[in-house]
Amino acid sequence: MSGPLSEPLSVPGSAPPPRTVHTHCPYCALQCGTRLGHALGEVTVTPSAFPVNQGGLCQKGWTAPEVLSTADRLREPLVRGADGRLAPAGWDAALDLVAGRLREIRRAHGPDAVGVFGGGGLTNEKAYLLGKFARLALRTSRIDYNGRFCMSSAAAASNAAFGVDRGLPFPVTDLGRADVVLLAGANPAETMPPLMRHLDRAALIVLDPRRTPTAERAAVHLRPAPGTDLALALGLLQLTVLDGRLDHAFVRERTNGFEAAWQRALPWTPERTERVTGVPVAAQREAVRMLADARRAYVLTGRGAEQHSKGADTVSAFVNLALALGLPGRDGSGYGCLTGQGNGQGGRELGQKADQLPGYRMIDDPAAREHMAAVWGVEAAALPGAGPSAYELLDSLGTAGGPRALLVFGSNPVVSAPNAGHVTERLAALDLLVVADFVPSETARMADVVLPVAQWAEEEGTLTNLEGRVLRRRALLAPPPGVRGDLEVLRGLAVRLGEPAERYPVEPREVFEELRRATAGGRADYSGVSYERLDAGEALHWPCPVVPSGPAHPGTPRLFLDGFAHPDGRARFVPVEHRDAAELPGRDLPLYATTGRVLAHYQSGAQTRRVAGLTAVEPEPFVEIHPDAARRAGVTAGGLARVVSARGAVVARVRLVESLRTDTVFLPFHFPGDGRANLLTGGALDPRSGMPEFKVSAVRVEPVDVVPGGAVSV
Ligand SMILES: Nc1nc2c(c(=O)[nH]1)N[C@H]1C(S)=C(S)[C@@H](COP(=O)(O)OP(=O)(O)OC[C@H]3O[C@@H](n4cnc5c(=O)[nH]c(N)nc54)[C@H](O)[C@@H]3O)O[C@H]1N2
Ligand SMILES: Nc1nc2c(c(=O)[nH]1)N[C@H]1C(S)=C(S)[C@@H](COP(=O)(O)OP(=O)(O)OC[C@H]3O[C@@H](n4cnc5c(=O)[nH]c(N)nc54)[C@H](O)[C@@H]3O)O[C@H]1N2
Ligand code: SF4
Ligand SMILES: [Mo]
């Protein structure tokens, strides 16, 4: 399966390369600390004692080095020829071609005819330079990224409540002191396994329609129908007040807006909440009692509660509950969102989001524009305004007035975007699709030009993990010959588009120095962070402003202890109302389909489907279904089923799951082709955050006829 591994990193004339480096896993937001070694032509990984993982790693982390030398690793640029096939090309030819086409498209249709799609796995330096490239070299407003599909609902709700958005406003290790933790739609036992060691002590309240490995560990497992968490959170708020559990002093002294939020919770009697969500009154009451009796308690949300067309309101409802219980801003208690991708946090505050400039500044704020224009040496008026959100951007590709060209860095939307069949059609309608990746992802296979880039163990940089801590990624290997870093690719394109080369540094450290100035004074202030401080082992959580004289700022592991980030220092209750999902099960499509993750695969699977040990664990798409629902649908364990929604159909292997709600099926979204769960999901978006409704589609399940001889008729 594997190809040649590249050489250990060495600089001519310098000391021999180190045999080990301290770095972090390339995958999720936990960013487990690892030690990478290079021996006998193999990269070895061992967990380090880094606080979030304390010597643990999940099976994805253990096997991550295999992707470095995967047999189909991209090693030279590819350009689609007249025969319709991708063929190798030199870098100059590929970049000249891309820049030339971009110029033509821009001349004919204007700067917004070029779009950029980024990723939350990109380092801080890449995310920053990608945003700068879009705004300066392309002058386009059409830039957004896959984090819109990930943390945007929690971000909107946190900004509204607290005036700032940092996944966990406290270090992960604080969870180790908790008595009770409520997990709303999060399954960390599979999505961040080493996090579970911090939850050992706590009694867990898990809200999930499925009995996940996390729910197995719960003291109380509530199984709301998909898309009803908002009603459940309103019901829990009502019980908090009615059962005399409201923290009056906290609400009075540290918050605003309780009364309006309370008015919205009033109709949500425990009985009505039970009718809508399916969660028994006694279980609701037990959850509130546990949270209120705990000395230290946390409310945490994951994608199960957030990925809805009302995801932001749902998170607001959980934040309201946490505020009513007096949790946020207290040492040892709080609200947090378990972010997702390796750089899910840094990726969302450094300028690749449609409405943001670096430092979590808003692009329509005149002062923010002036600040960034000064750092970049341009006029503020030259900076484009806010663009559409990720799905709106994808949906507009190739339409009248929509982008005719798209550059993708760090995402595989053919598999991971909602309404994937439609998105694939939009991508096919482009005049030019350019994908930078290190493997031929499903999206790269559609591209006109594929640019092969370096991987995590071959490059330097920084990432910001789920607790807002800035981390150093370190290189063990040189990239394979023919492969370039994303920063180099961006400079190569920018220069060909007429930009001065020095505006696009290729040294991560140099980009970081600029990023420090760019974020200075912003909500996410990195100006006091430096490679030197990180390399010295300092634990720096943003905000970490530069201090002109005297001791350096120590960073901010715990936000809100002295006050919330709104000007008056108070948190705000946000009044929210329950509403139905964009579609509900009915006669033809009688079941809820929800989607999510399994332990062995990461995201669109572009990386983990290339690791033999992981595909052995989860080789193919499957659908979890309750035995009663399976019987009604005429499908059997181990057989193939077709799952059909209003948008499309998926073929998946049937798994009978007794503990699942009878009205709900579950599919992982890690698989390509006709196993893509996103062929089912739709384009309904949250009006506050732009989050798609990944977690609710109405579907029916039917048997797939297997023709004698084994062929499948679909
Ligand atoms: N193994 C693995 N780990 C990962 C990733 C991966 O792809 N694979 N990706 C990383 C990323 S980017 C992210 S964002 C995180 C996501 O981490 P999680 O949020 O933990 O992951 P999900 O599986 O998407 O969703 C969590 C749970 O929500 C439940 N759920 C579905 N619908 C609903 C609902 O309506 N209400 C409630 N309460 N629950 C519901 C699902 O059954 C699922 O168990 O994981 C990160 N870690
Ligand atoms: N149905 C359903 N769909 C979902 C979700 C769900 O729960 N259900 N979850 C959503 C969520 S939370 C997320 S985060 C998205 C994620 O979905 P995607 O955005 O597709 O995420 P990945 O599969 O990680 O894709 C990253 C791609 O970029 C490449 N890559 C990695 N690092 C780099 C780099 O540094 N530079 C470059 N140029 N390329 C790189 C990888 O090889 C891979 O091809 O999926 C969303 N889609
Ligand atoms: S939990 Fe996340 S960061 Fe840790 S090893 Fe697994 S994928 Fe990597
Ligand atoms: Mo995510």
Side-chain angles (χ1 to χ4, degrees):
M1 278 291 284
S2 71
L5 198 65
S6 48
E7 289 302 306
L9 191 67
S10 68
V11 179
S14 68
R19 276 208 300 274
T20 60
V21 292
H22 282 268
T23 188
H24 297 269
C25 171
Y27 298 122
C28 86
L30 198 57
Q31 282 298 291
C32 295
T34 57
R35 231 179 4 259
L36 288 187
H38 188 275
L40 304 173
E42 284 208 13
V43 172
T44 55
V45 61
T46 40
S48 70
F50 191 66
V52 301
N53 57 309
Q54 298 176 346
L57 280 186
C58 80
Q59 51 191 252
K60 295 186 298 304
W62 283 110
T63 54
E66 284 185 43
V67 187
L68 294 166
S69 55
T70 185
D72 62 352
R73 172 96 197 246
L74 296 171
R75 292 170 188 273
E76 51 197 342
L78 304 172
V79 171
R80 197 170 297 280
D83 61 357
R85 290 169 178 274
L86 283 170
W91 272 101
D92 279 337
L95 295 178
D96 287 347
L97 176 84
V98 173
R101 303 278 310 271
L102 292 178
R103 279 175 187 274
E104 279 166 30
I105 289 169
R106 194 162 62 174
R107 205 174 306 125
H109 306 281
D112 278 350
V114 179
V116 177
F117 202 85
L122 301 179
T123 59
N124 289 323
E125 292 79 2
K126 296 179 190 187
Y128 172 81
L129 210 69
L130 188 66
K132 180 178 182 181
F133 171 81
R135 271 61 179 247
L136 297 192
L138 298 173
R139 306 266 161 178
T140 183
S141 68
R142 271 33 182 183
I143 172 169
D144 211 45
Y145 80 125
N146 67 6
R148 185 71 71 168
F149 299 156
C150 188
M151 290 100 21
S152 61
S153 290
S158 288
N159 281 323
F162 308 123
V164 69
D165 148 44
R166 198 181 87 189
L168 299 184
F170 47 81
V172 164
T173 43
D174 278 10
L175 294 171
R177 292 187 287 147
D179 304 310
V180 173
V181 176
L182 180 144
L183 290 161
N187 180 18
E190 289 195 84
T191 54
M192 295 183 183
L195 183 85
M196 295 305 284
R197 63 189 61 205
H198 301 286
L199 299 176
D200 271 350
R201 190 179 165 275
L204 302 184
I205 304 166
V206 172
L207 279 50
D208 197 308
R210 302 189 299 139
R211 191 160 179 85
T212 59
T214 310
E216 293 284 347
R217 293 266 302 271
V220 180
H221 175 203
L222 313 183
R223 289 190 308 165
T228 63
D229 298 77
L230 181 40
L232 182 55
L234 288 166
L236 296 180
L237 177 59
Q238 171 164 134
L239 271 177
T240 300
V241 176
L242 294 186
D243 288 359
R245 307 293 198 162
L246 183 69
D247 188 335
H248 289 275
F250 178 88
V251 168
R252 191 172 55 243
E253 285 154 25
R254 299 202 56 187
T255 72
N256 286 326
F258 171 73
E259 194 49 41
W262 169 238
Q263 288 303 321
R264 305 289 171 92
L266 263 180
W268 290 93
T269 60
E271 293 72 24
R272 181 172 175 216
T273 304
E274 172 170 341
R275 270 198 311 280
V276 171
T277 65
V279 175
V281 173
Q284 298 172 38
R285 191 154 256 140
E286 175 64 3
V288 168
R289 187 198 61 74
M290 284 172 64
L291 280 169
D293 282 352
R295 253 164 44 84
R296 299 196 183 88
Y298 291 89
V299 170
L300 304 178
T301 58
R303 300 309 85 76
E306 298 165 11
Q307 288 175 323
H308 297 273
S309 60
K310 54 173 177 294
D313 284 358
T314 303
V315 178
S316 286
F318 281 109
V319 173
N320 289 347
L321 175 67
L323 289 172
L325 291 161
L327 307 181
R330 259 177 43 202
D331 189 22
S333 293
Y335 162 78
C337 149
L338 294 169
T339 63
Q341 300 177 83
N343 198 25
Q345 185 67 51
R348 76 194 201 235
E349 57 213 14
L350 294 168
Q352 60 176 330
K353 206 172 175 188
D355 53 356
Q356 283 180 23
L357 291 171
Y360 224 126
R361 291 185 162 90
M362 302 317 287
I363 202 166
D364 52 8
D365 167 9
R369 295 171 66 83
E370 285 298 338
H371 170 82
M372 276 321 301
V375 173
W376 286 343
V378 298
E379 293 295 317
L383 299 178
S389 71
Y391 180 76
E392 296 168 292
L393 174 63
L394 295 172
D395 184 38
S396 71
L397 299 177
T399 61
R404 319 268 348 147
L406 185 73
L407 310 179
V408 180
F409 283 80
S411 183
N412 186 13
V414 166
V415 176
S416 59
N419 205 359
H422 172 69
V423 165
T424 306
E425 281 172 20
R426 296 320 326 148
L427 289 165
L430 287 166
D431 297 339
L432 178 70
L433 175 62
V434 181
V435 176
D437 209 311
F438 38 74
V439 291
S441 72
E442 287 66 26
T443 309
R445 283 170 205 269
M446 287 187 67
D448 301 292
V449 180
V450 180
L451 302 171
V453 293
Q455 290 195 42
W456 57 289
E458 302 160 350
E459 56 187 12
E460 302 285 315
T462 62
L463 295 94
T464 306
N465 77 353
L466 76 168
E467 46 179 16
R469 176 169 173 181
V470 187
L471 308 172
R472 272 282 270 124
R473 172 178 281 184
R474 293 188 182 86
L476 175 77
L477 307 167
V483 162
R484 292 189 180 174
D486 290 287
L487 300 177
E488 225 181 321
V489 173
L490 289 172
R491 176 196 282 202
L493 286 174
V495 168
R496 285 170 174 80
L497 291 166
E499 286 282 289
E502 58 278 11
R503 246 186 209 163
Y504 300 88
V506 293
E507 280 304 318
R509 192 182 287 257
E510 222 182 302
V511 178
F512 194 82
E513 287 302 311
E514 183 181 316
L515 178 162
R516 292 175 64 184
R517 293 198 303 281
T519 61
R523 275 193 269 180
D525 191 331
Y526 285 63
S527 60
V529 181
S530 66
Y531 274 38
E532 290 71 28
R533 292 187 73 186
L534 295 174
D535 288 343
E538 286 193 69
L540 300 176
H541 302 246
W542 69 254
C544 181
V546 70
V547 181
S549 59
H553 192 284
T556 315
R558 293 176 190 84
L559 292 166
F560 314 147
L561 290 184
D562 302 325
F564 297 97
H566 288 303
D568 62 1
R570 288 166 166 265
R572 295 181 189 161
F573 282 88
V574 175
V576 289
E577 204 122 35
H578 178 70
R579 57 185 188 271
D580 284 337
E583 65 183 24
L584 293 176
R587 231 168 51 97
D588 280 353
L589 305 170
L591 296 166
Y592 289 104
T594 191
T595 62
R597 293 158 167 84
V598 297
L599 174 54
H601 283 299
Y602 189 66
Q603 315 277 58
S604 72
Q607 294 165 83
T608 51
R609 281 186 278 110
R610 289 180 161 78
V611 176
L614 298 176
T615 46
V617 178
E618 293 291 1
E620 57 178 2
F622 63 86
V623 54
E624 293 184 355
I625 183 169
H626 189 274
D628 293 348
R631 208 171 304 119
R632 275 195 293 276
V635 299
T636 48
L640 287 176
R642 185 169 24 235
V643 184
V644 184
S645 81
R647 267 99 22 215
V650 171
V651 177
R653 187 79 57 193
V654 175
R655 285 190 190 167
L656 299 186
V657 178
E658 192 82 48
S659 58
L660 189 61
R661 290 178 59 101
T662 54
D663 59 359
T664 302
V665 302
F666 169 84
L667 301 101
F669 77 100
H670 310 296
F671 297 96
D674 65 6
R676 280 178 290 170
N678 279 316
L679 293 171
L680 304 174
T681 56
L685 301 183
D686 183 309
R688 284 174 68 192
S689 65
M691 173 68 86
E693 190 121 82
F694 285 120
K695 294 295 197 245
V696 181
S697 310
V699 298
R700 69 170 175 274
V701 174
E702 49 191 47
V704 172
D705 303 322
V706 180
V707 218
V712 172
S713 110
V714 288

